[in-house]
Amino acid sequence: MLNVRNLQVRYGRSVAALHGVDLEVPADGVLAVLGSNGAGKSTLLRAISGTLRLHRGSVLAGSVEFDGKRIDRLDPAAIVHLGVVGVPEGRQVFARMSVEDNLRAGGIGARTAEARTAARKRVHELFPVLAERAKQRAGLLSGGEQQMLAIGRALMSAPRLLLLDEPSLGLAPKVIARIGEIIREIHDQGTAVVLVEQNAVMALRVADHAAVLEVGRIALQGTAADLSASDDVQRLYLGGHAESDATAEAEARDARQHRAGVRELSRWAG
Ligand code: ATP
């Protein structure tokens, strides 16, 4: 569905952010993109959604194709029109507008009034709280609810591909788990998803496929199950290092106790 080939991106004249990224997003899946701070995850989503220019970024080389059509030179509105919609990092809702008006703003691009009504029904089914709070100002919602509204607003234009940038950021574990379930539901209803996340546990639970970005390059790519089992992903992103640190610490503690015990015994003996 989405094909990224040899994508090279820089900001201004000197900051190279992507150094030749190759990536495929199948039509029927959720693709998780993992990576540490500054790896280029948001840059990749900006390049796909055509919003690089808003950040003084530009594509130096390579291409992005959606359904066989090049989109890397299109403006953001044209890309939304084709069915690719992004939810940027940081729950950017219109805080002073009501929940309802936020959703209405997302539906402006819908082709017909019927499509808009169907999209609103879908959003209210996925997020009943957005129907309950329809008249409330978006700025008064909790962080989790604002994230739901940001996703709901993107769904109002009935996208075929949804790009999510760190939807779990700053949310409580229970809310993160709920967002994960909702991403799965969105996918089951026929929308492909690219999920950029630092929360690798959640992302790999939700995704079918995954890629790891490291300093502007894809370091690993495969099924979510394969990546979950990979030593590097375990060590760097799933807290495997924390476990081995804990093991090392426990071993060191045992050794200290053993040495103290030996000293104690030798005092008694002698
Ligand atoms: P994070 O998880 O912290 O959001 P990221 O993986 O999304 O990180 P990007 O935000 O894509 O990474 O940044 C990739 C590189 O591009 C970094 O070196 C970053 O400093 C740089 N960069 C990002 N946005 C800009 C910008 N608007 N102007 C200049 N450099 C930028």
Side-chain angles (χ1 to χ4, degrees):
M1 178 184 243
L2 186 85
N3 249 305
V4 177
R5 290 207 192 96
N6 185 34
L7 190 66
Q8 297 174 38
V9 170
R10 78 172 174 202
Y11 291 100
R13 290 187 177 276
S14 54
V15 182
L18 298 182
H19 306 279
V21 165
D22 290 294
L23 199 64
E24 264 184 44
V25 182
D28 62 343
V30 176
L31 171 85
V33 180
L34 312 176
S36 47
N37 285 116
K41 306 181 295 300
S42 300
T43 302
L44 176 64
L45 293 194
R46 287 172 189 160
I48 298 170
S49 60
T51 55
L52 268 178
R53 236 169 299 157
L54 306 177
H55 303 266
R56 295 170 182 241
S58 56
V59 173
L60 280 185
S63 62
V64 181
E65 278 182 11
F66 179 66
D67 261 355
K69 182 178 171 13
R70 273 191 78 164
I71 61 169
D72 45 276
R73 299 214 178 95
L74 299 183
D75 63 45
I79 294 173
V80 168
H81 196 68
L82 286 175
V84 181
V85 179
V87 180
E89 193 177 325
R91 309 192 267 282
Q92 292 170 23
V93 296
F94 301 119
R96 286 163 171 271
M97 280 167 51
S98 69
V99 167
E100 195 176 336
D101 286 345
N102 267 273
L103 292 182
R104 193 166 293 134
I108 284 171
R111 280 164 216 269
T112 60
E114 289 78 49
R116 234 186 328 268
T117 307
R120 183 176 294 107
K121 184 164 175 280
R122 176 191 188 193
V123 168
H124 283 168
E125 276 167 13
L126 279 168
F127 307 107
V129 69
L130 300 184
E132 289 155 21
R133 307 274 170 91
K135 305 278 179 222
Q136 195 173 318
R137 271 193 194 190
L140 297 175
L141 297 176
S142 70
E145 289 162 352
Q146 287 188 12
Q147 185 59 265
M148 292 175 192
L149 179 55
I151 297 173
R153 194 176 56 194
L155 291 177
M156 283 299 292
S157 58
R160 295 176 50 218
L161 174 64
L162 185 67
L163 311 170
L164 297 176
D165 198 350
E166 304 238 14
S168 79
L169 199 69
L171 299 179
K174 262 194 185 161
V175 184
I176 295 175
R178 182 67 196 128
I179 299 267
E181 286 166 13
I182 287 166
I183 293 170
R184 245 1 268 186
E185 282 174 54
I186 290 171
H187 160 264
D188 293 344
Q189 294 171 352
T191 308
V193 180
V194 177
L195 170 63
V196 154
E197 262 301 339
Q198 291 219 22
N199 185 331
V201 175
M202 179 270 229
L204 289 171
R205 197 173 291 150
V206 167
D208 308 291
H209 308 274
V212 175
L213 253 182
E214 266 176 20
V215 227
R217 286 194 174 83
I218 299 285
L220 284 170
Q221 200 172 162
T223 66
D226 285 348
L227 259 74
S228 301
S230 124
D231 285 348
D232 284 344
V233 172
Q234 281 281 338
R235 186 169 48 83
L236 294 170
Y237 300 103
L238 295 175
H241 65 297
E243 265 166 42
S244 46
D245 283 351
T247 310
E249 209 172 283
E251 281 169 0
R253 193 175 52 237
D254 285 349
R256 275 198 303 275
Q257 277 171 356
H258 176 71
R259 284 197 299 275
V262 170
R263 276 200 302 274
E264 190 77 350
L265 273 177
S266 41
R267 252 205 309 276
W268 275 98

